[in-house]
Amino acid sequence: MQFYQNQALKIYNSLSGEKQVFTPIHQGSVGMYVCGPTVYSNVHLGNCRTFISFDLVYRYLKHLGYKVRYVRNITDVGHIEDDADEGEDKIAKKARLEKLEPMEIVQQYSVDFHQILELFNNLPPSIEPTATGHIIEQIETIKEIMSNGFAYESNGSVYFDVVTFNKTHNYGQLSGRNLDDMLSNSRELAGQDEKRNPADFALWKKAEPQHIMRWPSPWGDGFPGWHLECTSMSTKYLGKHFDIHGGGMDLKFPHHECEIAQNEAATGQSPVNYWMHANMLTLNGKKMSKSTGNNILPREIFTGNNDKLSKPFSPAVVRFFILQAHYRSVLDFSNDAILAAEKGYNRLMEALETIIHLNPANSSTLDINAWKQACYDAMNDDFNSPILIAQLFEGVHYINLLKEKKESLSATDIETLSKTMHAFVFDVLGLKDEKGSDGSNEKLEGVVNMLIEMRKEARANKNFSLSDEIRNKLTSMGIELKDTKEGTTFSIN
């Protein structure tokens, strides 16, 4: 159904700094590009928040009846450390450290990325192009930029001429930065003498003899700049002008700013109507960082194999936790916060199980259609998932009132309540009922707890062979045990 004809969706546009009514370029169709991962390490929870946020956007656009082409890339030519123009390629560096081929690294972490997002119940994108699969397109984009006078070759590398571009365009329009300030604050970098100006960025880098990932080009063997791949792949699959471009807040500058410059330099037009940015995820009030140890991976949450949480949590609960905050707000992950989210998630699932047992009345005492529109109003306000969830809990309140016979609904209104709850919980929020309405999960939990007790008794009797056998057999079935001071818990992988 084409709900979009009756719903006025507004999107916060990072380019304008305000919410704007969403009007697609082609009626009924949406082109959306989201920057994907650089596959040189396990995807972390902060990355997952970005991809879950845009999965929500994708799901709601589809729910409204739009035909959506969702393109999300894989960066398998690792950009340079700290996104500079000098240094070692992240994927090549990982390959060297682990004594593997770069494409082995790419394959390993691409598989991990897909597995994690599948556990989070993310829908796959329509197209998932790779940077290495589009080297020819990137070389052609560079040629266009050079022919238009906005790039230059220097010692086998090609750089984007930011100063020349800024004379006729606005470099800094997305991030609100001033080029003169950027130039005055730029520090001298190694290899800086190749550039005309410190703000210039690489479109193509000459490969040094030791560089593994390299391709032939008109300027010699080398590899593309990080910003270039998204420009080339987005325009190939969505055209020179498309609807939505998304990514994490940390990509606004320099990545997305450079994308706009490249597109305008190559095609003469602004590439995107609505720029969207998801905010960061903190852990216990501090920025997530591998170097400081303030970091947690999704699998560590699912298995309980970490020192930050009191128990394992399912992917659906973690997804629900993430969606309880608006995608543009900072979200802090903590043990207390995820415990609270689990309680809320369980309440929601229990209410959905209750709906099917409600008895209709001849008349209604609740305005279900107004509540239904309030759910749409929440999502129409820049995909405001926390307000939607608040409305869904208002629906839970209605269900409990009906169960206790304190209110009544007609059969038609009960059907509307049920369909709306299911549509927004499962189709839009993308949650899964991991409790199981048939009680199968509860039965499984009872069996596993019985085996845990048997294992506990075996250990007390120093029968460690039986104890190990129970653990190993459960592990082989995807059930992982975690022993703590408080006892043994389990998680299902």
Side-chain angles (χ1 to χ4, degrees):
M1 293 182 67
Q2 296 178 341
F3 295 120
Y4 63 81
Q5 294 177 336
N6 302 316
Q7 303 294 335
L9 171 62
K10 287 186 176 182
I11 296 177
Y12 181 86
N13 190 348
S14 298
L15 194 58
S16 66
E18 60 185 18
K19 293 177 188 177
Q20 297 176 334
V21 175
F22 177 63
T23 306
I25 296 168
H26 303 290
Q27 185 177 4
S29 298
V30 178
M32 181 171 77
Y33 186 91
V34 173
C35 293
T38 302
V39 282
Y40 71 102
S41 63
N42 295 110
V43 62
H44 61 71
L45 194 60
N47 298 140
C48 292
R49 185 197 181 185
T50 295
F51 299 125
I52 289 171
S53 295
F54 286 103
D55 185 61
L56 174 75
V57 172
Y58 182 36
R59 284 173 174 275
Y60 188 59
L61 291 171
K62 285 168 66 72
H63 173 76
L64 289 179
Y66 285 111
K67 181 181 179 182
V68 186
R69 176 176 285 179
Y70 175 20
V71 182
R72 186 186 67 213
N73 71 298
I74 293 284
T75 297
D76 56 353
V77 183
H79 49 274
I80 307 303
E81 292 286 356
D82 300 322
D83 309 326
D85 285 331
E86 298 296 326
E88 191 170 7
D89 177 305
K90 290 181 177 179
I91 291 171
K93 181 179 180 180
K94 188 80 168 185
R96 178 175 55 78
L97 291 173
E98 297 193 10
K99 294 182 173 58
L100 296 171
E101 282 288 331
M103 284 300 115
E104 286 183 275
I105 296 296
V106 166
Q107 178 70 5
Q108 176 183 337
Y109 293 113
S110 294
V111 168
D112 172 74
F113 173 69
H114 291 132
Q115 287 177 342
I116 292 297
L117 290 197
E118 187 176 353
L119 287 170
F120 276 128
N121 202 31
N122 274 29
L123 298 175
S126 314
I127 304 172
E128 193 172 49
T130 63
T132 55
H134 295 77
I135 298 295
I136 293 172
E137 288 84 352
Q138 293 176 78
I139 289 173
E140 290 303 310
T141 301
I142 296 172
K143 289 180 180 178
E144 290 175 1
I145 295 172
M146 292 185 80
S147 67
N148 291 334
F150 295 113
Y152 56 91
E153 188 267 340
S154 177
N155 192 30
S157 295
V158 180
Y159 293 97
F160 189 93
D161 192 336
V162 172
V163 172
T164 299
F165 174 80
N166 199 56
K167 290 176 182 176
T168 52
H169 297 75
N170 179 13
Y171 183 77
Q173 58 183 292
L174 180 65
S175 58
R177 301 189 182 207
N178 179 277
L179 181 58
D180 290 335
D181 293 339
M182 284 189 268
L183 290 172
S184 63
N185 293 330
S186 295
R187 58 188 175 88
E188 290 297 318
L189 297 170
Q192 190 69 60
D193 56 330
E194 287 188 353
K195 300 182 184 182
R196 292 177 183 172
N197 293 285
D200 294 352
F201 56 89
L203 299 175
W204 186 265
K205 283 295 294 178
K206 176 183 178 181
E208 299 301 326
Q210 71 274 15
H211 202 93
I212 307 171
M213 301 180 80
R214 58 201 300 141
W215 291 265
S217 81
W219 317 283
D221 281 6
F223 53 95
W226 171 38
H227 313 306
L228 186 68
E229 62 177 279
C230 289
T231 290
S232 298
M233 290 189 285
S234 63
T235 53
K236 175 169 182 174
Y237 297 109
L238 298 174
K240 296 177 181 178
H241 188 207
F242 56 95
D243 297 298
I244 298 171
H245 193 313
M249 194 76 75
D250 57 320
L251 297 182
K252 185 184 287 189
F253 186 88
H255 187 51
H256 291 161
E257 195 73 72
C258 293
E259 273 193 66
I260 293 175
Q262 290 168 161
N263 277 84
E264 292 184 353
T267 68
Q269 59 180 299
S270 183
V272 178
N273 281 354
Y274 304 87
W275 283 91
M276 298 179 65
H277 292 93
N279 216 323
M280 66 186 295
L281 185 72
T282 58
L283 177 59
N284 293 322
K286 298 178 182 178
K287 183 179 179 180
M288 284 198 182
S289 171
K290 290 181 182 177
S291 60
T292 63
N294 194 53
N295 186 54
I296 192 165
L297 298 175
R299 288 191 198 279
E300 294 172 341
I301 300 171
F302 307 154
T303 62
N305 185 24
N306 63 81
D307 59 359
K308 295 175 177 65
L309 303 176
S310 58
K311 58 186 284 269
F313 294 92
S314 71
V317 168
V318 180
R319 183 183 177 100
F320 181 67
F321 162 77
I322 287 172
L323 294 175
Q324 281 184 308
H326 190 267
Y327 76 90
R328 286 193 290 115
S329 64
V330 175
L331 174 61
D332 187 56
F333 184 83
S334 68
N335 188 64
D336 289 345
I338 192 71
L339 280 170
E342 185 177 54
K343 290 179 181 177
Y345 167 83
N346 289 337
R347 277 183 59 209
L348 203 54
M349 294 304 148
E350 287 163 7
L352 289 170
E353 292 174 18
T354 301
I355 290 180
I356 59 176
H357 303 297
L358 296 177
N359 295 315
N362 294 327
S363 60
S364 300
T365 58
L366 298 168
D367 190 343
I368 292 302
N369 288 323
W371 165 81
K372 176 182 176 181
Q373 186 56 48
C375 292
Y376 279 99
D377 290 344
M379 287 301 291
N380 290 339
D381 183 17
D382 192 31
F383 309 98
N384 201 323
S385 56
I387 300 299
L388 169 63
I389 289 170
Q391 289 298 334
L392 293 174
F393 277 113
E394 184 69 9
V396 171
H397 177 60
Y398 291 168
I399 292 166
N400 291 332
L401 289 175
L402 295 167
K403 179 183 176 182
E404 295 165 6
K405 295 185 170 48
K406 294 179 179 178
E407 300 284 357
S408 60
L409 284 181
S410 66
T412 301
D413 281 347
I414 286 179
E415 184 180 10
T416 299
L417 174 63
S418 178
K419 283 185 175 180
T420 303
M421 287 288 290
H422 278 80
F424 279 102
V425 170
F426 299 122
D427 298 342
V428 176
L429 292 180
L431 300 177
K432 291 174 73 173
D433 184 0
E434 293 177 334
K435 288 174 64 63
S437 57
D438 61 355
S440 58
N441 278 18
E442 285 82 351
K443 292 173 184 176
L444 174 61
E445 185 174 343
V447 172
V448 175
N449 283 330
M450 180 182 71
L451 289 170
I452 287 173
E453 284 301 314
M454 288 174 62
R455 176 172 172 266
K456 181 180 176 181
E457 186 175 341
R459 293 172 77 184
N461 295 329
K462 300 191 184 305
N463 188 351
F464 298 115
S465 60
L466 176 59
S467 169
D468 291 343
E469 184 181 1
I470 292 172
R471 173 188 279 277
N472 293 338
K473 285 191 174 179
L474 286 173
T475 300
S476 68
M477 292 185 287
I479 300 170
E480 186 165 339
L481 301 184
K482 181 184 180 184
D483 296 316
T484 66
K485 293 178 181 178
E486 289 75 28
T488 302
T489 59
F490 74 91
S491 59
I492 302 172
N493 300 327

